[in-house]
Amino acid sequence: MPSETEKSTPAPTEELKEAHKNERAEVESDGITIPSHVAGSGTLDRLIDTARDYALAAASDNTLKAYAKDWAHFARWCRLKGTAPLPPSPEIIGLYLADLASGSGPSPSQSASRSLSVTTIDRRLSGLAWNYAQRGFALDRTNRHIATVLSGIKRKHGRPPVQKEAILAKDILAMVSTLPHDLRGLRDRAILLLGYAGGLRRSEIVSLDVHKDDTPDSGGWIEIMKKGALLTLNAKTGWREVEIGRGSKDQTCPVHALEQWLHFAKISFGPVFVGTSRDGKRALDTRLNDKHVARLIKRTVLDAGIRSELPEKERLALFSGHSLRAGLASSAEVDERYVQKQLGHASAEMTRRYQRRRDRFRVNLTKAAGL
């Protein structure tokens, strides 16, 4: 029986599947080889396979899929314009970026497409650079045909980043209160409380295992102690530890919620958060997809009546997986350094971007300067 995640996650299109397969093939074949003047051997061939495995691990599957989508879009654009994507041409790429920013449409005969944001265009360019590198080419992003056009796009179309709304303490309490007390409800309650208290990314939540090295795709593991839980995460910025203390009462304690889920789901090995059977009475073996966390947040936001003055579509657009991280940063009344450490940020400035509520004038430099 398929898990609830597998049933509700739409399959990618055949075009994107093929593009993703091609991206992996580039790394597996052309990306890692031995020089042509060196004779092959069994030992070298095995090392090539090992090196290719490491090369594939340099980017996550989600990143590879995004890069595949970027390349597929650019290749199609080139075909429609009567040119080729290879070898890289700074002039053509500059025109491509201008087309993305202006939303002029894929061809004169077709209706205009939506112009893309500066952030998306910048990411598309990064995807192209990665794709060219896998094909043995270097894309010079400093070339004037690319750099100057991109600089102009940022100057003309740049906007402040659109931030997701923070889920505050009263919100998370209202959200978990909407969950049932069956096995699925225990799991989702643990996901929300642990993600909130730890300031975790949704990918970090679902990648947790019970112990170190339980599964090959583990992104970290947990250790439950008397005073709380210690999470060791292989996060976006590298390995880090996250301490989650016990709450003031069992109903809202993330560690207690985690213990309850593991106990009743009979999970003692492998992924912490897995799917459940259709009747919600039995835990399956399949690790949850990170999209489950996003869907869970949006569903419980609606059920809890958060921002009910807005239409449903607008309410759903306000919240995402990052709302948990922003909620912790905005609600924790502690020294900023502790929040920075919990979120795994390299700088205090990045942490401040997550703080939707803070006293911006707590340090008054005007008065400190004598005015």
Side-chain angles (χ1 to χ4, degrees):
M1 182 183 297
S3 69
E4 63 201 79
T5 303
E6 293 170 331
K7 289 184 293 182
S8 58
T9 303
T13 64
E14 290 302 319
E15 180 181 0
L16 287 183
K17 280 183 179 179
E18 185 64 27
H20 184 213
K21 184 171 69 176
N22 289 341
E23 294 313 301
R24 299 188 74 89
E26 289 291 340
V27 180
E28 291 173 353
S29 58
D30 297 338
I32 305 295
T33 60
I34 59 174
S36 58
H37 64 274
V38 176
S41 68
T43 302
L44 286 178
D45 289 342
R46 286 192 295 273
L47 285 175
I48 289 173
D49 291 338
T50 302
R52 286 172 179 167
D53 288 340
Y54 283 128
L56 287 172
S60 68
D61 270 353
N62 285 341
T63 300
L64 290 176
K65 288 175 184 176
Y67 287 162
K69 188 175 181 180
D70 293 338
W71 184 257
H73 187 274
F74 177 62
R76 179 175 178 271
W77 183 90
C78 287
R79 288 196 302 271
L80 291 171
K81 302 302 181 185
T83 185
L86 293 171
S89 166
E91 294 86 352
I92 292 298
I93 293 174
L95 296 178
Y96 174 64
L97 299 180
D99 204 5
L100 295 179
S102 62
S104 57
S107 72
S109 62
Q110 294 177 304
S111 59
S113 60
R114 180 176 60 88
S115 59
L116 301 183
S117 68
V118 172
T119 302
T120 302
I121 293 172
D122 213 11
R123 200 223 66 209
R124 285 272 177 94
L125 183 57
S126 296
L128 293 186
W130 186 92
N131 276 281
Y132 278 124
Q134 303 315 304
R135 291 163 172 81
F137 297 98
L139 178 62
D140 183 9
R141 294 184 56 160
T142 64
N143 183 285
R144 64 186 179 89
H145 293 283
I146 297 176
T148 308
V149 170
L150 185 61
S151 178
I153 290 172
K154 291 180 177 180
R155 184 176 179 83
K156 186 172 182 179
H157 299 292
R159 297 288 185 274
V162 178
Q163 295 182 318
K164 295 297 181 181
E165 190 150 323
I167 292 173
L168 304 178
K170 61 181 178 60
D171 300 326
I172 198 72
L173 296 180
M175 290 163 65
V176 298
S177 68
T178 67
L179 296 171
H181 291 278
D182 59 6
L183 192 60
R184 191 174 297 163
L186 290 177
R187 179 200 63 193
D188 290 345
R189 186 174 286 102
I191 287 175
L192 289 178
L193 291 174
L194 198 73
Y196 183 81
L200 305 178
R201 300 175 178 89
R202 62 186 193 184
S203 59
E204 293 171 345
I205 297 172
V206 299
S207 69
L208 284 170
D209 277 1
V210 178
H211 308 107
K212 182 181 179 181
D213 300 328
D214 274 0
T215 63
D217 60 340
S218 170
W221 64 92
I222 60 173
E223 184 180 356
I224 298 178
M225 307 174 182
K226 183 178 180 179
K227 293 185 177 181
L230 176 65
L231 278 54
T232 304
L233 300 171
N234 187 6
K236 186 177 180 181
T237 54
W239 286 99
R240 66 188 178 99
E241 291 184 341
V242 174
E243 298 94 0
I244 299 178
R246 293 187 182 271
S248 55
K249 52 186 177 180
D250 286 347
Q251 292 87 337
T252 59
C253 174
V255 182
H256 180 75
L258 177 62
E259 289 174 322
Q260 292 289 96
W261 158 246
L262 293 176
H263 172 73
F264 287 103
K266 297 180 175 62
I267 295 175
S268 58
F269 182 86
V272 171
F273 295 113
V274 297
T276 60
S277 57
R278 191 183 298 273
D279 59 9
K281 295 181 179 179
R282 180 171 55 87
L284 304 178
D285 296 328
T286 309
R287 186 189 302 275
L288 282 181
N289 189 289
D290 66 338
K291 291 183 176 63
H292 174 83
V293 180
R295 290 193 296 264
L296 172 62
I297 290 170
K298 290 178 182 294
R299 187 182 78 239
T300 51
V301 159
L302 290 181
D303 293 344
I306 298 171
R307 297 300 301 272
S308 57
E309 74 277 7
L310 298 176
E312 181 176 309
K313 187 176 181 180
E314 291 184 28
R315 293 167 66 195
L316 290 174
L318 281 176
F319 297 94
S320 72
H322 259 56
S323 296
L324 294 178
R325 286 167 65 77
L328 177 73
S330 302
S331 300
E333 299 292 339
V334 296
D335 191 293
E336 193 176 74
R337 293 173 297 172
Y338 296 110
V339 179
Q340 179 183 341
K341 179 182 181 296
Q342 190 81 338
L343 297 183
H345 288 153
S347 68
E349 181 57 36
M350 178 58 71
T351 302
R352 293 187 191 108
R353 295 182 191 178
Y354 281 76
Q355 293 174 324
R356 308 296 189 259
R357 299 186 316 171
R358 64 185 175 93
D359 184 0
R360 296 177 178 272
F361 302 101
R362 182 170 60 88
V363 177
N364 191 326
L365 292 181
T366 306
K367 289 181 178 180
L371 298 180

